[in-house]
Amino acid sequence: VQLQASGGGLVQAGGSLSLSCAASGRTFSSSVMGWFRQAPGKEREFVAAIRWSGGNTYYADSVKGRFTISRENAKNTVSLQMNSLKPDDTAVYYCAADPAVGLAVVKLARAYKYWGQGTQVTVSS
């Protein structure tokens, strides 16, 4: 499975950005695809995830109500719409996927086998 992330950039606080992650190669109907982020000097943290079959979504508390994760089955693409961005959202964002992620570990980076390259999101104050 190969993941290609795109859509990062520079935005002012309060603005919006949309990230996309395209999956290619072998994919699984049971997959979970997620977004994580890592700011300088900090550990990689969970942002959001979506279960490919059924569309169940999961969010970090810090982004609930501001970010929306969605999937487009026909294109094997997952998007992350980020609204009301804050300087604290500045980080490198990574998409991740795995064919079998249980509910108990959906927010853990170690549960995901496949990772895309990061895309930088910078929110200026």
Side-chain angles (χ1 to χ4, degrees), residues 7-9 11-20 34-38 45-50 57-71 78-94 119-123:
V11 66
Q12 288 188 332
S16 299
L17 279 175
S18 181
L19 305 181
S20 290
W35 289 95
F36 290 77
R37 66 187 182 187
Q38 188 166 18
E45 66 173 0
F46 172 77
V47 176
I50 187 165
T57 57
Y58 314 90
Y59 294 96
D61 288 344
S62 59
V63 307
K64 278 182 182 176
R66 300 189 299 123
F67 291 10
T68 302
I69 189 170
S70 61
R71 74 196 193 289
V78 170
S79 298
L80 184 68
Q81 177 65 40
M82 304 183 293
N83 298 328
S84 302
L85 283 161
K86 306 174 182 179
D88 284 349
D89 295 318
T90 295
V92 177
Y93 283 67
Y94 298 89
T119 183
Q120 178 71 45
V121 171
T122 303
V123 184

Side-chain angles (χ1 to χ4, degrees), residues 36 44 46 96 101-112 115:
F36 290 77
R44 191 168 297 190
F46 172 77
V101 178
L103 179 59
V105 295
V106 71
K107 298 182 179 182
L108 300 181
R110 60 176 172 83
Y112 295 78
W115 290 84

